[in-house]
Amino acid sequence: MEIIRGGPEDVDTAALIWAHAVSRRDGYEVPSLDEARPGVESALANEPSLLLIARDGGVAVGFLAAGPQGTDIAHVNYVGVHPDAWGKGVGEALLRALPDALTEHGYARAELLVYVDNVPGVRLYERLGWIKVGGPVPHPRHGRLEQRYAFAPTS
C-alpha cells in the first residue's frame, strides 16, 4: 500500500470512497458523487489543506482530508476507507502518514471528531495515540454523539 499526496484531481475519488463508506456504515443508499463531493471540497477549501490518498495496487482505497482550524491546528474532516478495503490497515496507514503531512503544512497538531459508536475508529485513534478532549457531544444536525480527539506529532 502506498500513501500519496492528493490534489484537486483526487476530490471525486475521495468523495466516492466516502459515499460508499458511509452508506455501508450507516445502512443507507450510496450517495451520488454530486451529493458527496461538496463535503470533501469544503474540507479542502482553506489553506493549508491536505489530502492523503491510500492506494493498493494502484487503486485508491482510502483518503484523509484535513484543513485549518486555527493557526496551527489541522481539523481532520475525513478518514474514509472503501468498504471493500475495511480491515486491511488502510485507515492506520493514512493516520501513520499524517504526522509528516502535518509538519510539512506547518501544523503543530490535529483534531478530529468521531462518532462514539464507531468502535473500530475509536479503537484505532486511541491505539495510535490520539487523546480524548472533553466529553462526547451531540452532533448539531442529528444528535448522534461525537467525541473530539487530538494528536500532536512527536519530533
Side-chain angles (χ1 to χ4, degrees):
M1 179 174 328
E2 71 174 327
I3 306 298
I4 63 165
R5 301 295 193 268
E9 69 279 6
D10 298 301
V11 168
D12 284 358
T13 298
L16 287 173
I17 290 169
W18 186 250
H20 284 275
V22 297
S23 171
R24 177 80 58 86
R25 181 192 72 194
D26 296 338
Y28 58 77
E29 188 175 326
V30 177
S32 70
L33 178 58
D34 287 340
E35 294 169 317
R37 183 187 301 117
V40 176
E41 287 175 330
S42 176
L44 301 171
N46 298 310
E47 292 299 329
S49 65
L50 61 101
L51 178 61
L52 302 177
I53 304 290
R55 296 194 308 200
D56 187 12
V59 175
V61 293
F63 76 103
L64 182 150
Q69 175 180 307
T71 56
D72 66 347
I73 302 169
H75 180 73
V76 177
N77 300 81
Y78 293 95
V79 178
V81 177
H82 194 283
D84 293 345
W86 285 358
K88 296 181 179 177
V90 176
E92 182 170 345
L94 287 162
L95 290 165
R96 288 192 182 280
L98 182 60
D100 287 343
L102 290 172
T103 301
E104 288 172 18
H105 286 79
Y107 290 115
R109 65 186 176 115
E111 292 188 355
L112 58 76
L113 292 167
V114 62
Y115 292 123
V116 297
D117 61 358
N118 178 354
V119 175
V122 169
R123 285 183 186 150
L124 176 62
Y125 298 129
E126 290 180 354
R127 184 166 50 81
L128 294 179
W130 289 74
I131 306 296
K132 283 183 184 180
V133 176
V137 296
H139 187 281
R141 283 195 317 263
H142 49 66
R144 192 171 169 191
L145 289 178
E146 295 180 301
Q147 176 65 54
R148 180 174 301 279
Y149 280 84
F151 176 82
T154 55
S155 308

